[in-house]
Amino acid sequence: MSRLCCKLTELFMQPSCKGHATRLQMLRQSGKYHNFAPSMKGKGMSKIELEEKLERKGVKPTSNRILVLKALEKTRHPVSLSDLEEILFTMDKSSIFRVMCLFHEHDVVDSFEDGRGIVNYELCGSEGKCDHSDAHLHFYCKNCHLSYCLRDIKPSDVNLPEGFVAESYSLVVNGLCSECSKGKDPQS
């Protein structure tokens, strides 16, 4: 098991916070999450397209994997395992965890810590291995607890000392989102 999966096990097996239901409501109301029924009806990639995407990444498409991929596709921002558990309430949380570990190992998703020590996931944009040239900034709002991808803001080149090799980036800015900084309630 990879180090990330071991860390995720520690985080994931902690008792869930009662604030997750409130956070999911905020996600739905803010428009950053598209509701979808587990039947996978609605806009987005078809089941065949989802299966092909998984196969291109070297992942055998199963019902659970397709359902998790569909949920990730429907979100407009990075999500945590707890978010996925709320979205995919019909699926066992250990199944979601195993699928996310597999997706991370096969570069279906990329991950980052949001500043609270909680791992968030987003679909990898590239067809092959997640490319660090696609690295972008993330923003975590400490008031409404939502994470945002700031895809247009690229990190400046980091010149590492000789012999150092970057394998991943953690680019998170913490503060208040535009709604919270205006004093608006993101739930309204």
Side-chain angles (χ1 to χ4, degrees):
M1 191 182 294
S2 72
R3 273 195 261 177
L4 175 66
C5 286
C6 289
K7 183 171 184 176
L8 291 175
T9 301
E10 293 171 20
L11 292 172
F12 193 55
M13 296 307 169
Q14 292 176 354
S16 65
C17 170
K18 70 178 184 179
H20 291 304
T22 304
R23 183 162 189 251
L24 186 61
Q25 290 170 343
M26 288 190 314
L27 296 176
R28 287 180 175 141
Q29 292 170 354
S30 70
K32 292 170 185 65
Y33 167 77
H34 297 288
N35 284 324
F36 76 100
S39 66
M40 300 195 339
K41 293 181 181 176
K43 296 179 183 177
M45 292 171 42
S46 70
K47 183 177 178 185
I48 292 172
E49 291 170 318
L50 293 168
E51 289 174 353
E52 289 171 353
K53 181 177 180 108
L54 289 175
E55 287 172 350
R56 284 192 304 271
K57 294 283 189 167
V59 176
K60 180 181 176 185
T62 64
S63 297
N64 281 351
R65 293 170 187 167
I66 292 168
L67 193 60
V68 171
L69 183 60
K70 183 73 170 180
L72 290 167
E73 184 206 20
K74 290 282 189 172
T75 61
R76 293 185 178 178
H77 66 93
V79 292
S80 68
L81 285 168
S82 296
D83 294 334
L84 285 171
E85 182 183 337
E86 293 289 331
I87 294 166
L88 299 168
F89 58 89
T90 60
M91 190 183 300
D92 181 69
K93 70 180 185 176
S94 61
S95 296
I96 297 170
F97 171 75
R98 286 191 302 272
V99 168
M100 292 308 294
C101 282
L102 180 72
F103 280 7
H104 193 265
E105 290 170 10
H106 287 267
D107 292 311
V108 176
V109 297
D110 200 7
S111 64
F112 67 95
E113 287 188 30
D114 66 7
R116 301 174 295 162
I118 296 176
V119 177
N120 281 247
Y121 298 93
E122 59 187 342
L123 287 174
C124 184
S126 60
E127 282 299 314
K129 192 164 176 62
C130 281
D131 188 3
H132 294 300
S133 66
D134 185 39
H136 55 273
L137 202 63
H138 293 95
F139 185 90
Y140 172 74
C141 180
K142 61 184 183 177
N143 186 52
C144 66
H145 308 290
L146 296 176
S147 293
Y148 299 85
C149 282
L150 305 176
R151 294 192 187 281
D152 295 334
I153 303 175
K154 304 291 181 190
S156 58
D157 290 339
V158 177
N159 294 320
L160 296 173
E162 188 175 328
F164 288 75
V165 178
E167 292 183 356
S168 66
Y169 297 89
S170 180
L171 308 163
V172 180
V173 175
N174 294 294
L176 297 175
C177 69
S178 60
E179 294 296 313
C180 292
S181 67
K182 294 175 188 172
K184 294 182 181 177
D185 181 1
Q187 292 186 5
S188 59

